[in-house]
Amino acid sequence: MNKPEILAPAGSMEAMEAAVKAGADAVYMGGTMFGARAYANNPGQEELVEAIRYVHLYDRKLYLTLNTLVKEEEMSLVGDYLFPYYEAGLDGIIIQDPGVFSFIQRNFPGLPLHASTQMNITGLAAAKLLKEAGASRIVPARELSLDEIRTIKEETCLEIETFVHGALCYCYSGRCLMSSMIGGRSGNRGRCAQPCRLPYEIEGKKKPSYLLSPKDLCTISLLPELIEAGIDSFKIEGRMKNPEYVAVIVSVYRKYMDYVWDHPGKPYQVEEDDWNLLLEAYNRGGFTTGYYDRHNGPDMMSMDRPNHQGIFAGKIEKIKDGEIYFHPKIRVHKGDVFEVLTRTGEEVVLTSNSDCLPGRNFKIKGRKIKSLCPGMSILRTANPWQKQQLKENLFDSICKKKVGGKAIFAAGEPARLTLWTLEGKETVIEVTGDPVVKASERPVTEEQVKKPLMQTGNSPFVFADLQIEVGQDVFYPMGGIKKLRREAFLQMQKKLEERAVRNQEKPEAWVGSDPLFCSSKEKEDEPELPKLRVSVEDKTKLEFLLNHPKVDGIYFPLEELSSEERRRWRILGFEQKKQIFYAFPRVFRNKEQIYYDKIFEELLQEKPDGFLIRNMDELGWIRSKRDRWIDQKIEIVLDHSLYAYNREALVTYRKWLGGDYTVVWPLELNKKELFRLNDDEKKGDSGLCASSSEWIVYGRIPLMVSAQCPAKNTTQCVQKPGYMKMTDRLHKNFYGRRHCRHCYNTIWNGTPLSMQGLSKDWKEKRPSSVRIHFTMESEEEMRRMIDLFNEEWKEGKPVSQMGGEYTRGHYNRGVE
């Protein structure tokens, strides 16, 4: 087992330097394009290349975040954007988009590919698939337990990178559409507006709360267990945080990582001062150890307040003449900022104008203190003194790399200085100066030579070992000795910075995808009019749909059905001549894989027409059973949550799957972008990249998929599937659905998507099928929607008025 690396966030050059000085083994940064933190102070090309050189000087690594979905028109930019960093010696690249993954693997040999947590890797099936595809490291979903992570490590031997500190998403990463659907800012494009940090009112509760706001993750107490589980990289979240935050968090984790590694089996405890450092850096009402040791729960959430709550400083003892009196539990510095939260939720801000030791009587003036009263807690939320200490002790310091050296001054020979590194890969350089001469008066001594050599000044080096040989009665000028040192350090610095440089010329054109992995299915084989398919969340709707004459195909929600129910409805489907598809759950972790492994042969015996696959783990799992479903000619449908933003992704899915499939078009692309992907003229001689396509034309959109449950977190676990209404501050409704068999939750947009009246746009580019999705609709509402879309898409009748509130989603506007 190798010692795990501490991987630090760097949203700026200053944060990158802070991370290295504080002891990070590696940093991850974004450039000006394709990064999941578009609003960070991301460096330009020259700065990022300089950052790569800087970290290599100190034997550290830099990983580039290219972890967003890339549109078809942008794919031509990826190669030129990445090449300067690849050439400079980039150590790895973090990727979400499957098309980008394949493109980089093909065009940038030797560049380690890291599968981002945005790929939503929740189990062994996806890990095995991505290892076979060429990934050297995966960043699994934050929701996995230590046992699940350990299993992936033992079964695949992949490098595992997991988050150990920082903000947690409410949603499984890569499965959130909430920000884009309600605000037009897509988390899949690095522009999340964080709607999870806003208040929501839940039915039955009068007071809104921050239902979707998790506490920040802190695993400093779990380090021994994390190391034992085989995790290779301990990742700190925070590319939007300032350099001071990065420095504090990295330094604390560095301290305890080194202790655990150097003292195996010894008692382990985190000191109170270090806990306070972490809390003061940023916390939302304390920390959570995340999902490593639990599945979910209200103790993981910060439902009263979603922002920084600082550190407890004491309680108000009395208020007199506009001043607040208390005995601080911590040392107070002049300029400290305190907050008191009133009963109405108002935050009263106070600033200290003097120092005070813990336990002493202290008073502080404040404005708007009429709403305060004795007994209220005082929190310190800003500590300028700590920032000043960091500036003096870290930011103003020069990061020094230890080297060894040997200087030889022999009469008649050129002065010679040899340097070598003492850590990392050994590197040796040698420089020579002017010849050494015999002394006419005062010969130089060893001490006189040593002193200017040891004056390393602003250079990035410091001598840990320096050997000096001075001949008898020789002379060498002090200026010459300093020049020798400067030249040696410059050459050493250049050699260290450039040792990872890839000497490869930029190609005239980037290598395209292999046409063998496109389908050869001809357009003529597809029906002229699309089939009308319906998917549901609620099994009670199945009988109505099976008996409706205008429905061509139905997606059965497998997680809602017992074996007996599934077989009974399947028989009715045969009788009604319906296409029947089995829809797998939106979450597919190892325990789900074990369950569906057991019933897979039953499913095949029931002869479904297709499987609806919704995530990367299901893709890997169904690929492993390829021979069985291909023999039975089962249609594989890749749902919209397996994102296909570009043609390269379409080809990649077919390669990974090992056969034809139907693609469900993404929900965040606009009309122009969908047409570009669906344009036959641009697919070349190889034919369609997917054998057929499906377009969702009606239904509420799943905005989030979460391991958390608002019902459990606010009342109790009811262990029964169903909906719970949530209302935001603008009085918009959302509906959380409990999926109790596999214990996860989806949040649905209250306003349904409707593409009614748009079939004319698709007259020349018809999808193979259109899909309606029902959640809470009544039978009358379902009948009406089916009739409306059947009339428009199948019968070509004039469009009737749908009525009611609906949204076009991103059909017109798209996302940036």
Side-chain angles (χ1 to χ4, degrees):
M1 184 185 296
N2 294 320
K3 186 176 183 178
E5 72 178 8
I6 293 177
L7 176 57
S12 65
M13 293 293 285
E14 294 76 16
M16 180 274 298
E17 290 190 29
V20 172
K21 291 178 179 180
D25 299 295
V27 297
Y28 62 103
M29 299 185 76
T32 55
M33 300 173 71
F34 309 127
R37 293 294 182 269
Y39 300 118
N41 187 22
N42 298 308
Q45 179 180 307
E46 290 185 8
E47 282 188 312
L48 191 48
V49 168
E50 182 58 34
I52 295 171
R53 294 168 63 91
Y54 181 86
V55 300
H56 287 169
L57 174 61
Y58 299 104
D59 299 311
R60 317 297 170 84
K61 294 181 178 180
L62 189 147
Y63 309 132
L64 178 69
T65 58
L66 211 161
N67 53 345
T68 59
L69 300 176
V70 178
K71 298 177 183 179
E72 176 63 21
E73 64 267 28
E74 298 169 332
M75 281 298 293
S76 61
L77 306 175
V78 172
D80 290 345
Y81 167 72
L82 179 57
F83 187 79
Y85 313 132
Y86 174 74
E87 184 181 39
L90 182 66
D91 297 288
I93 186 161
I94 306 170
I95 308 171
Q96 175 186 10
D97 194 302
V100 172
F101 186 99
S102 292
F103 175 85
I104 293 175
Q105 183 192 39
R106 197 167 54 245
N107 286 283
F108 294 90
L111 180 59
L113 306 178
H114 300 179
S116 170
T117 191
Q118 288 287 113
M119 276 193 171
N120 190 219
I121 302 162
T122 59
L124 193 55
K128 287 182 175 179
L129 171 68
L130 287 160
K131 179 181 180 179
E132 186 178 336
S136 61
R137 174 182 292 191
I138 62 168
V139 190
R142 292 174 174 90
E143 288 77 5
L144 298 196
S145 68
L146 273 179
D147 285 341
E148 289 173 299
I149 292 168
R150 187 181 292 109
T151 297
I152 293 173
K153 180 66 179 181
E154 291 173 352
E155 293 289 329
T156 67
C157 295
L158 280 166
E159 290 182 11
I160 306 293
E161 173 184 307
T162 66
F163 286 90
V164 297
H165 197 97
L168 283 173
C169 292
Y170 180 82
C171 183
Y172 279 93
S173 293
R175 301 297 298 274
C176 182
L177 299 178
M178 196 166 191
S179 178
S180 75
M181 285 295 173
I182 66 177
R185 288 171 52 179
S186 171
N188 284 314
R189 299 278 291 171
R191 293 169 171 83
C192 179
Q194 294 193 314
C196 51
R197 303 298 181 187
L198 298 176
Y200 296 87
E201 183 178 326
I202 197 165
E203 59 181 337
K205 302 281 184 179
K206 293 184 179 180
K207 182 182 177 182
S209 63
Y210 297 93
L211 295 172
L212 312 181
S213 178
K215 295 177 181 177
D216 273 21
L217 175 68
C218 176
T219 64
I220 196 73
S221 62
L222 297 181
L223 282 192
E225 291 93 330
L226 298 178
I227 293 171
E228 187 275 331
I231 297 170
D232 299 277
S233 180
F234 286 19
K235 187 172 192 174
I236 297 166
E237 183 276 339
R239 279 195 290 140
M240 296 294 289
K241 296 288 201 305
N242 58 42
E244 291 82 8
Y245 173 89
V246 174
V248 168
I249 306 303
V250 169
S251 62
V252 174
Y253 276 83
R254 177 79 278 157
K255 173 181 174 179
Y256 288 96
M257 170 71 79
D258 291 344
Y259 174 83
V260 173
W261 191 258
D262 295 337
H263 302 86
K266 292 291 182 68
Y268 177 75
Q269 187 174 357
V270 180
E271 297 172 8
E272 184 178 359
D273 286 348
D274 292 321
W275 274 117
N276 289 339
L277 278 173
L278 296 173
L279 286 165
E280 285 216 79
Y282 199 90
N283 81 88
R284 292 179 169 94
F287 291 124
T288 173
T289 52
Y291 297 92
Y292 289 112
D293 52 4
R294 76 200 75 186
H295 185 77
N296 57 26
D299 59 327
M300 298 177 65
M301 308 301 292
S302 178
M303 291 187 279
D304 293 328
R305 177 177 168 180
N307 54 359
H308 181 43
Q309 297 186 34
I311 188 172
F312 178 72
K315 289 190 175 182
I316 297 175
E317 295 170 10
K318 68 176 181 178
I319 302 174
K320 183 179 179 181
D321 299 329
E323 293 181 320
I324 297 169
Y325 291 80
F326 70 104
H327 287 77
K329 304 291 185 183
I330 57 176
R331 181 179 177 182
V332 175
H333 314 98
K334 184 177 180 180
D336 284 355
V337 177
F338 298 91
E339 287 185 11
V340 182
L341 190 65
T342 69
R343 293 188 177 94
T344 61
E346 181 185 5
E347 297 170 6
V348 176
V349 180
L350 313 165
T351 303
S352 168
N353 59 4
S354 62
D355 296 347
C356 183
L357 293 173
R360 300 283 182 89
N361 189 37
F362 186 68
K363 62 181 180 180
I364 184 171
K365 291 184 177 180
R367 300 170 59 190
K368 300 182 179 180
I369 63 173
K370 290 183 179 180
S371 57
L372 305 183
C373 60
M376 287 184 171
S377 294
I378 302 172
L379 306 173
R380 182 168 69 190
T381 55
N383 185 349
W385 177 85
Q386 185 185 81
K387 288 187 176 183
Q388 183 60 33
Q389 292 297 109
L390 280 171
K391 184 177 186 301
E392 293 174 0
N393 299 324
L394 184 72
F395 295 119
D396 288 346
S397 67
I398 298 171
C399 196
K400 296 284 189 178
K401 182 175 178 61
K402 293 180 180 179
V403 294
K406 185 174 183 180
I408 301 174
F409 295 85
E413 299 289 335
R416 191 179 306 277
L417 177 59
T418 304
L419 299 183
W420 59 86
T421 52
L422 298 178
E423 52 192 32
K425 296 179 181 179
E426 186 175 3
T427 304
V428 179
I429 65 102
E430 184 177 271
V431 296
T432 58
D434 295 331
V436 180
V437 298
K438 276 288 185 179
S440 59
E441 294 183 8
R442 297 179 180 176
V444 294
T445 65
E446 182 177 317
E447 186 60 34
Q448 288 174 324
V449 170
K450 184 177 182 179
K451 185 176 180 180
L453 287 178
M454 294 293 287
Q455 293 172 349
T456 56
N458 291 328
S459 79
F461 301 105
V462 61
F463 281 110
D465 174 32
L466 179 58
Q467 305 164 28
I468 298 175
E469 295 181 7
V470 178
Q472 191 172 3
D473 296 330
V474 298
F475 174 78
Y476 205 79
M478 291 298 106
I481 297 173
K482 293 178 180 179
K483 181 180 179 183
L484 198 66
R485 183 203 67 215
R486 288 194 298 269
E487 180 62 27
F489 282 178
L490 284 173
Q491 287 194 28
M492 176 63 84
Q493 181 172 347
K494 183 178 180 182
K495 191 167 185 178
L496 292 177
E497 289 177 343
E498 296 181 352
R499 57 186 162 174
V501 168
R502 297 179 176 94
N503 295 313
Q504 179 174 317
E505 290 188 11
K506 183 178 176 182
E508 293 184 7
W510 302 105
V511 179
S513 58
D514 189 341
L516 293 175
F517 289 104
C518 275
S519 170
S520 59
K521 192 170 183 178
E522 298 293 335
K523 180 72 175 178
E524 291 74 33
D525 293 339
E526 296 183 15
E528 183 179 347
L529 295 173
K531 293 182 179 297
L532 181 62
R533 296 175 177 174
V534 179
S535 55
V536 295
E537 295 294 307
D538 185 352
K539 65 184 179 182
T540 61
K541 295 177 169 57
L542 290 177
E543 185 171 8
F544 168 80
L545 295 173
L546 286 164
N547 286 300
H548 197 297
K550 296 178 182 178
V551 173
D552 297 313
I554 303 170
Y555 291 97
F556 281 15
L558 284 181
E559 62 186 303
E560 297 285 317
L561 300 170
S562 66
S563 297
E564 181 181 347
E565 289 171 325
R566 194 177 64 241
R567 285 191 288 269
R568 175 157 49 92
W569 296 129
R570 182 69 188 99
I571 290 170
L572 182 56
F574 277 126
E575 293 173 353
Q576 298 295 339
K577 297 181 180 179
K578 306 289 188 189
Q579 280 190 314
I580 301 300
F581 298 82
Y582 287 167
F584 286 86
R586 289 179 174 83
V587 174
F588 199 77
R589 291 163 67 164
N590 287 345
K591 61 184 178 66
E592 282 75 42
Q593 179 179 336
I594 292 170
Y595 170 74
Y596 286 103
D597 272 335
K598 289 180 180 178
I599 69 168
F600 185 69
E601 288 303 320
E602 289 181 32
L603 300 181
L604 290 181
Q605 290 170 12
E606 293 159 17
K607 300 186 182 304
D609 295 281
F611 292 146
L612 179 64
I613 302 302
R614 286 170 158 158
N615 53 61
M616 197 66 72
D617 278 277
E618 289 171 359
L619 181 68
W621 178 74
I622 205 68
R623 173 195 169 93
S624 70
K625 302 180 182 301
R626 177 178 175 274
D627 293 342
R628 301 291 287 119
W629 54 263
I630 279 191
D631 287 345
Q632 203 164 304
K633 297 182 179 179
I634 289 176
E635 181 182 344
I636 303 298
V637 182
L638 303 188
D639 209 358
H640 61 86
S641 48
L642 278 164
Y643 302 111
Y645 268 46
N646 52 72
R647 192 157 296 111
E648 185 81 53
L650 294 172
V651 179
T652 299
Y653 283 134
R654 191 171 193 278
K655 180 179 179 180
W656 288 358
L657 185 61
D660 286 331
Y661 67 93
T662 294
V663 61
V664 179
W665 293 121
L667 297 172
E668 291 187 312
L669 297 185
N670 62 28
K671 174 173 66 174
K672 181 180 177 181
E673 291 158 351
L674 287 170
F675 283 177
R676 182 178 286 108
L677 278 179
N678 206 44
D679 190 344
D680 292 340
E681 294 178 359
K682 294 186 178 180
K683 291 179 180 140
D685 297 330
S686 57
L688 292 165
C689 295
S691 55
S692 53
S693 62
E694 182 167 291
W695 194 34
I696 297 176
V697 294
Y698 174 84
R700 289 180 173 83
I701 299 303
L703 302 180
M704 286 188 172
V705 181
S706 179
Q708 294 292 336
C709 177
K712 177 181 178 180
N713 289 347
T714 56
T715 54
Q716 62 181 349
C717 179
V718 298
Q719 297 184 350
K720 182 181 179 181
Y723 292 95
M724 177 177 283
K725 186 171 77 171
M726 300 160 48
T727 307
D728 70 6
R729 68 199 193 288
L730 301 177
H731 308 294
K732 294 290 186 181
N733 292 331
F734 305 88
Y735 298 91
R737 179 171 175 81
R738 302 180 296 275
H739 300 263
C740 296
R741 169 173 282 183
H742 302 306
C743 196
Y744 70 94
N745 192 272
T746 52
I747 295 178
W748 299 83
N749 199 8
T751 304
L753 174 81
S754 176
M755 299 300 180
Q756 189 193 22
L758 301 178
S759 62
K760 59 184 182 298
D761 292 350
W762 291 78
K763 187 174 182 180
E764 304 299 328
K765 312 174 190 297
R766 292 184 186 275
S768 308
S769 55
V770 292
R771 180 162 132 212
I772 295 173
H773 184 73
F774 291 131
T775 48
M776 297 173 292
E777 287 82 357
S778 65
E779 284 193 7
E780 180 56 37
E781 289 172 320
M782 290 193 293
R783 181 179 291 108
R784 185 162 169 269
M785 290 302 109
I786 291 169
D787 289 346
L788 283 173
F789 283 97
N790 188 76
E791 288 172 1
E792 178 181 354
W793 285 87
K794 303 290 286 291
E795 299 174 13
K797 292 183 179 179
V799 177
S800 305
Q801 289 296 320
M802 191 178 101
E805 185 182 7
Y806 63 89
T807 176
R808 293 294 195 197
H810 289 293
Y811 188 71
N812 294 314
R813 63 183 181 181
V815 295
E816 289 185 37

